[in-house]
Amino acid sequence: KTMQLLAAKFNQIATAIETTNAQIAALQANLSELQEHQQQLLSVEQACQSALAQVGTALSMLNHVDPAEIGTFKAAVEAQFGTDAIAFLEPAAPAETVEPEPTAPTAPEPAATPEIEPAIDVEVASAPEPAAPIEPTPTTTAADIEGLLNKMSIQNIRKLASAKGTDTKGTRASIAARLKALVTQADIWDATA
């Protein structure tokens, strides 16, 4: 009779272990889905910030070149949000997450004689570390500055180099290379105005 009691206890514990393992597997799958979704959100946020920086740069350049066209640019940006423009985009399929019903494992019946209960090792997944805040990208990069400098006339680039206290001799490219770390986009516009 003792052997039957032990066999019943063993089966009861084995069932509790299987149930707990199934719950752990479901929770780990749910955790993986949430982490993947979090990564997607971070990617979208970075893309949006980059797009905003590009729009800011385009607005600044347009304001310098032809401020009367700002309304046209605004209309073009707003058109991107129109239903016709977005209609071709495939929305993400809504993720159907099925939350597992948490159930407490059944505790074995106390035995008539003291037994050593088996330990159930459960690996606890650590929470993902919070993502580092995304720094906004500068609206004008060194490459943008160098490109603007290379478009300037040789007379204007030499005047700007003189105003910034750097050597005015050489080709437009060599002067631009020296100036790119010294000037801002506003300096370039002021020099060409």
Side-chain angles (χ1 to χ4, degrees):
K1 182 158 180 141
T2 304
M3 294 306 274
Q4 289 177 343
L5 180 62
L6 288 176
K9 294 287 182 200
F10 181 80
N11 288 337
Q12 193 175 24
I13 290 172
T15 302
I17 289 171
E18 287 176 21
T19 302
T20 303
N21 283 335
Q23 290 172 346
I24 289 169
L27 288 172
Q28 286 175 334
N30 193 15
L31 177 63
S32 293
E33 287 175 14
L34 288 172
Q35 287 171 332
E36 182 179 331
H37 188 67
Q38 182 182 36
Q39 279 302 114
Q40 291 171 349
L41 286 174
L42 287 173
S43 295
V44 168
E45 182 179 15
Q46 289 171 342
C48 288
Q49 286 180 347
S50 176
L52 284 172
Q54 290 294 325
V55 168
T57 300
L59 267 175
S60 296
M61 293 171 75
L62 185 58
N63 188 45
H64 176 68
V65 173
D66 190 357
E69 290 298 317
I70 290 177
T72 305
F73 179 70
K74 181 180 178 187
V77 170
E78 287 174 349
Q80 290 296 312
F81 293 96
T83 54
D84 292 341
I86 294 180
F88 69 91
L89 298 176
E90 293 281 329
E96 292 184 26
T97 55
V98 178
E99 295 286 331
E101 282 294 319
T103 55
T106 314
E109 304 268 331
T113 58
E115 294 180 32
I116 298 175
E117 292 193 24
I120 300 174
D121 290 334
V122 177
E123 183 178 325
V124 177
S126 62
E129 292 186 22
I134 298 171
E135 295 296 324
T137 56
T139 57
T140 308
T141 64
D144 294 336
I145 294 288
E146 191 168 11
L148 291 171
L149 287 168
N150 282 319
K151 291 178 185 174
M152 292 176 69
S153 70
I154 191 70
Q155 293 84 6
N156 283 343
I157 201 167
R158 284 189 174 140
K159 284 180 194 173
L160 183 57
S162 177
K164 290 296 179 178
T166 189
D167 188 10
T168 61
K169 297 191 186 325
T171 65
R172 179 186 352 217
S174 64
I175 298 170
R178 288 191 293 271
L179 279 175
K180 73 180 177 184
L182 303 174
V183 297
T184 65
Q185 194 172 15
D187 292 333
I188 295 169
W189 289 343
D190 290 343
T192 56

